[in-house]
Amino acid sequence: MALLVLVAALVLNTALHAAAQPADFLSIDCGLEANYSGYKDADTGIAYVSDEPYVDSGENHRIAADQESRWGDTNLRTLRSFPSGVRNCYALPTRAGTRYLVRLSFVHGNYDGSNADAGGGGGVGGGGWSTLSFDLYLGVDRWATVDKDYAHEAVFVAWASWAPVCLINTGSGTPFVSVVELRPLDDALYPSVMANQSMARYVRCSIGDNKEFITRYPGDQYDRFWWQLGYSSPTWKNLSTVSAITQDSIYTVPLTIIQTAVEAVGNNTMLNITWQDQTPRGRGLKFFMYFADFQNSQLRQFNVSFNDVEPYQYSPPYLTTGVLYNSGWSIATDGNYNISLVPTAASKLPPMINALEIYTLISHDNPTTFPVDFETIMAIKLEYGIKKNWMGDPCFPVKFAWEGVKCSNSSSNTARIISFFNSDGNMCNKPIIVPSPPGKRSNRAATLAILIVVPATLIVVLVLVFLIRRQQRKSNYSTEDPPRDQSELENALQTRQNHGDVLQIVENRQFTYSELEKVTNKFERHIGQGGFGPVYFGCLEDNTKVAVKMRSELSSHGLDEFFAEVQSLTKVHHRNLVSLIGYCWEKDHLALVYEYMDQGSICDRLRGNNGASETLNWRTRVRVMVEAAQGLDYLHKGCSLPIIHRDVKTSNILLGQNLQAKIADFGLSKTYLSETQTHISVTPAGTAGYIDPEYYQTSRLTESSDVYSFGIVLLEIATGEPPIISGQGHIIQRVKNKIVAGNISLIADARLDGAYEVSSMWKVVDTALQCTVDVVAQRPSMATVVAQLKESLALEESREDSGFMGSTSTVSDNTFSTSGFGPSAR
Ligand SMILES: *[C@@H]1O[C@H](CO)[C@@H](O)[C@H](O)[C@H]1NC(C)=O
Ligand SMILES: *[C@@H]1O[C@H](CO)[C@@H](O)[C@H](O)[C@H]1NC(C)=O
Ligand SMILES: *[C@@H]1O[C@H](CO)[C@@H](O)[C@H](O)[C@H]1NC(C)=O
Ligand SMILES: *[C@@H]1O[C@H](CO)[C@@H](O)[C@H](O)[C@H]1NC(C)=O
Ligand SMILES: *[C@@H]1O[C@H](CO)[C@@H](O)[C@H](O)[C@H]1NC(C)=O
Ligand SMILES: *[C@@H]1O[C@H](CO)[C@@H](O)[C@H](O)[C@H]1NC(C)=O
Ligand SMILES: *[C@@H]1O[C@H](CO)[C@@H](O)[C@H](O)[C@H]1NC(C)=O
Ligand SMILES: *[C@@H]1O[C@H](CO)[C@@H](O)[C@H](O)[C@H]1NC(C)=O
């Protein structure tokens, strides 16, 4: 026999509802276009976002037009359906150990014209939900069957940084979902929910004459849905008060709900709530009853019992919320449920009740993947943009185990991931593909598999293999003789480092928001404005200087750009690409932490912004362009699928120590999805003056659009002028107009004071004009651009070398040109 537990409501102040929704609410409007940045719900003030970042599969749909008026809530008008695959999951970001409420809402709205619509039905707007049936799983555990239901809710304790919520096709219709919502709960609320057991909401209702059909946030601080009890008995009387009611700060009930109640009619009469339901039969039930008396003149005392739970003698507190719940889980094997409030002999007034919650137990007795392994493989999935069937728990249930992921079956209930391989090779650096020796291609899978014993080593292993592969590409290793063991891998890495080709082993660090506050000294030094928000200077514990790029809420760029940037940056590591040190992802706080480039951007240097006074000399300019071109070439060709930067401009080429150039800001970058794809169709984006007209007109994005933008950058480097000068037109036209005169000094930046090798300058201008021709097919590849710029650099270097030989004094005079090299330096 379970015991009733009383939660004393001794906390004095009534919870005050904040005007804005709590920052840690995650509210997903399924089926919303990914390019739609979200909206605030007019009634609740809750901000809804697209589900694109949280799910890999499914199709977007809208409910039928004639159903829209029925569903006032914008978030119910779109949905995502899952016609393929048996299990499809959302991965919701969580904090391990935190207790959450998760809710999925379902409005079919005849979205597919199948008329699989329940029609009438009681409640919300009358119908709209489906006659279909499918299952919901919380991780690996069965949560509910969706069957003409509007919303399902569960309370759980997060076991990892991700909580998978899965829809399972049980053969009775295509699963779909309209809204997914995640709400963190107070740690002290619902203590029976633990890591090993969750619970599903079975009933949550207000009892009495409460006007609202559903009460939620801001009435409920946790945004639980409270329904009006759709039942009234002739032996009940409605009670209500307008007085303030003191609530426990944790066990709060919406005020409008606790201010109404029912009581039995007549003294000495009992109050029963009974029903029959086969659904939760055999499952443990937990109830929470909420009471607040509106009078204190007479004794109201009654015995509370629920099914098999021992009666508990209780007297509701005056204008204060009292909560009763059973400490264990009550089981009704016959499907009959029975709440009875029986007045005691001493009671002067009949029993009363204000609100009720009942939950069913979701026990976690299925095996799961070890949380750290799960988080690691999720990190890899995100970093490499792996989609496939990588959804839900990686190892369980076995029939849905992730493709290519091998799990141990240890005796305990948590499996370790022991290896995985990636067979589709669609990721940028195909991190784990070791080329097979010739003649053994058929046995590819075997060579793809890499043993990963301890997850923490996993990323390092990936990077090692990546290094090896690149090494092989550069023919330093023969493909007939791939390195086979760890020591060879290490040797290869060593060799590589000795060659000074800096490829960093990046294990991106995850920062908390408070760590970022510390790192940036409370965002003290604003150093710029990035694509999706402000950039701040920071300093890590080891004194590494960093640039912290925050995503501002006002940013026109959404989550997509954030993920594009994270994905591009984690996929590519090159000495001429700004490297990502870590990121912060705490619901509303998104930030990227980069290496700090202390010499500013090329743009600053050319325009003399931000205190950059010294003009770069020609040799430095060309060298910097060679480096930037190499970075871009790596993006286009260094990866198995091209990455297109989309926003190449002088302010995105940054200078670090020794004026080494690195390309930054991958917020708009796009990756091809397959090897056969010839272009990507997107809405043109970028910066005025740099956008390829072909791309602008056709929305067909290819690498040549970056080549075009790079051509504009080259013209700026040569002329020192911005792309567009109002009244004088675009830089291409300005340069072309001057070129006819045949005198390079009319084009070259006057601040160089003639200190450049003429043929070097010509070569840069000529390359720039090739890059910017209208006919896309005639533009050079970045590899060609690199080669031409290297020639230009060699020409300039030979001039300088000669200059040094000729006269060092002319150097100090800054009168290179007078030393007479080059036919028409002046
Ligand atoms: C979003 O993309 C769709 C096409 O996928 C387009 O029809 C729509 O206009 C876009 N919306 C916005 C706000 O850009
Ligand atoms: C009490 O309120 C409920 C809900 O509004 C209503 O259905 C019921 O008829 C009321 N009962 C009485 C006795 O007024
Ligand atoms: C209930 O008892 C109280 C006091 O004992 C009395 O004043 C009241 O009239 C009774 N109510 C009914 C409905 O009998
Ligand atoms: C309440 O339930 C008990 C036991 O099942 C029954 O004897 C009694 O008549 C019920 N009372 C009302 C008011 O329904
Ligand atoms: C209701 O609960 C009481 C115990 O409190 C029990 O005696 C009675 O049989 C139950 N009635 C139903 C209908 O389950
Ligand atoms: C109420 O429950 C107590 C035990 O908690 C019991 O002693 C008492 O007899 C019960 N009274 C009624 C009226 O059921
Ligand atoms: C969960 O663990 C608690 C103790 O930590 C235990 O009392 C409870 O029975 C367990 N629940 C299940 C469903 O195993
Ligand atoms: C692991 O489980 C699979 C299937 O569940 C079984 O075939 C295999 O023998 C098990 N391996 C070990 C080492 O227990």
Side-chain angles (χ1 to χ4, degrees), residues 242-416:
V242 291
S243 305
I245 292 182
T246 306
Q247 301 226 49
D248 180 291
S249 64
I250 294 157
Y251 279 89
T252 53
V253 174
L255 189 62
T256 53
I257 288 176
I258 203 68
Q259 281 176 327
T260 62
V262 297
E263 69 173 9
V265 176
N267 299 345
N268 304 316
T269 48
M270 65 191 299
L271 192 156
N272 289 358
I273 301 176
T274 61
W275 72 99
Q276 234 230 340
D277 189 346
Q278 302 302 319
T279 318
R281 180 159 54 167
R283 297 174 84 174
L285 293 176
K286 189 173 290 284
F287 62 85
F288 297 83
M289 295 177 198
Y290 298 87
F291 303 94
D293 207 340
F294 308 146
Q295 60 81 44
N296 64 349
S297 53
Q298 286 181 305
L299 177 68
R300 193 195 300 273
Q301 192 185 50
F302 45 88
N303 278 0
V304 178
S305 57
F306 178 82
N307 285 18
D308 53 348
V309 181
E310 257 174 42
Y312 182 88
Q313 189 173 307
Y314 185 64
S315 189
Y318 172 61
L319 294 183
T320 298
T321 304
V323 187
L324 284 182
Y325 62 91
N326 52 332
S327 60
W329 296 86
S330 169
I331 292 174
T333 44
D334 58 359
N336 287 317
Y337 300 90
N338 171 6
I339 292 171
S340 58
L341 311 179
V342 182
T344 61
S347 183
K348 294 292 178 218
L349 292 171
M352 70 178 294
I353 183 166
N354 307 54
L356 172 69
E357 282 185 283
I358 304 175
Y359 290 89
T360 60
L361 173 66
I362 304 175
S363 56
H364 293 210
D365 34 27
N366 295 308
T368 55
T369 302
F370 187 66
V372 175
D373 294 20
F374 175 39
E375 287 172 358
T376 309
I377 198 110
M378 277 299 285
I380 288 165
K381 172 188 148 76
L382 288 178
E383 292 201 0
Y384 298 101
I386 302 171
K387 297 214 165 170
K388 308 207 288 185
N389 76 334
W390 285 26
M391 292 182 282
D393 188 274
C395 302
F396 301 101
V398 173
K399 66 175 169 175
F400 299 130
W402 292 9
E403 194 185 325
V405 172
K406 285 209 177 67
C407 307
S408 69
N409 26 1
S410 59
S411 51
S412 82
N413 244 12
T414 50
R416 305 299 304 243

Side-chain angles (χ1 to χ4, degrees), residues 208-211 228-229 231-234 236-239 261-262:
D209 193 10
N210 173 44
K211 301 285 180 278
Q228 170 81 271
L229 177 66
Y231 166 80
S232 186
S233 160
W236 293 358
K237 188 173 125 197
N238 290 329
L239 303 179
V262 297

Side-chain angles (χ1 to χ4, degrees), residues 486-768:
Q486 189 68 21
S487 67
E488 273 184 82
L489 290 171
E490 278 164 7
N491 287 342
L493 176 63
Q494 198 55 49
T495 314
R496 182 150 200 92
Q497 283 173 340
N498 291 345
H499 287 180
D501 195 349
V502 187
L503 273 163
Q504 292 154 5
I505 296 184
V506 180
E507 195 169 347
N508 292 316
R509 168 169 166 194
Q510 192 168 0
F511 291 85
T512 62
Y513 185 72
S514 60
E515 278 171 333
L516 286 189
E517 281 187 326
K518 210 188 268 172
V519 162
T520 59
N521 197 14
K522 296 224 157 67
F523 306 103
E524 186 187 21
R525 208 176 123 201
H526 181 260
I527 53 174
Q529 193 66 28
F532 58 67
V535 187
Y536 298 95
F537 175 79
C539 205
L540 301 184
E541 304 82 348
D542 63 357
N543 287 329
T544 307
K545 290 176 184 171
V546 293
V548 179
K549 191 166 164 186
M550 306 294 299
R551 176 181 174 237
S552 82
E553 293 213 37
L554 302 171
S555 162
S556 57
H557 292 178
L559 268 183
D560 276 4
E561 278 78 6
F562 179 80
F563 287 115
E565 182 139 7
V566 172
Q567 292 205 350
S568 302
L569 280 162
T570 49
K571 277 191 283 198
V572 298
H573 301 291
H574 187 272
R575 60 168 185 265
N576 298 120
L577 300 176
V578 169
S579 38
L580 184 68
I581 289 173
Y583 59 93
C584 163
W585 183 2
E586 283 185 0
K587 308 286 150 40
D588 274 8
H589 298 301
L590 295 178
L592 297 174
V593 180
Y594 294 95
E595 60 176 321
Y596 177 64
M597 302 291 287
D598 56 2
Q599 299 293 315
S601 72
I602 298 273
C603 182
D604 293 342
R605 287 305 183 118
L606 291 177
R607 314 267 153 81
N609 296 337
N610 295 342
S613 51
E614 283 170 79
T615 306
L616 299 175
N617 67 29
W618 182 243
R619 177 179 171 160
T620 306
R621 291 190 198 191
V622 180
R623 197 231 335 125
V624 158
M625 284 298 99
V626 169
E627 290 172 354
Q630 285 173 337
L632 215 45
D633 177 45
Y634 176 79
L635 280 183
H636 291 173
K637 292 288 181 303
C639 308
S640 66
L641 291 175
I643 295 173
I644 303 172
H645 187 287
R646 291 176 83 200
D647 201 13
V648 173
K649 54 182 173 182
T650 47
S651 55
N652 279 342
I653 301 174
L654 305 184
L655 299 171
Q657 279 181 354
N658 305 324
L659 296 178
Q660 187 183 33
K662 301 193 183 205
I663 299 208
D665 208 341
F666 296 77
L668 295 175
S669 66
K670 292 274 177 195
T671 309
Y672 281 75
L673 297 175
S674 76
E675 277 157 25
T676 50
Q677 201 176 0
T678 57
H679 68 273
I680 302 171
S681 291
V682 285
T683 320
T687 303
Y690 294 89
I691 302 173
D692 171 14
E694 162 80 9
Y695 158 51
Y696 198 76
Q697 281 157 23
T698 62
S699 298
R700 288 164 64 94
L701 180 65
T702 65
E703 298 92 305
S704 65
S705 303
D706 280 350
V707 172
Y708 177 93
S709 309
F710 191 77
I712 305 296
V713 169
L714 288 178
L715 291 178
E716 282 186 74
I717 284 287
T719 63
E721 294 174 2
I724 296 172
I725 299 179
S726 121
Q728 297 176 43
H730 193 262
I731 195 163
I732 297 182
Q733 208 45 54
R734 298 198 307 267
V735 167
K736 281 185 176 165
N737 292 345
K738 288 175 188 165
I739 260 179
V740 287
N743 186 349
I744 196 73
S745 64
L746 293 177
I747 295 171
D749 188 348
R751 288 171 297 180
L752 291 170
D753 199 17
Y756 50 83
E757 159 60 43
V758 168
S759 50
S760 167
M761 179 66 76
W762 269 119
K763 187 123 205 130
V764 168
V765 172
D766 184 43
T767 305

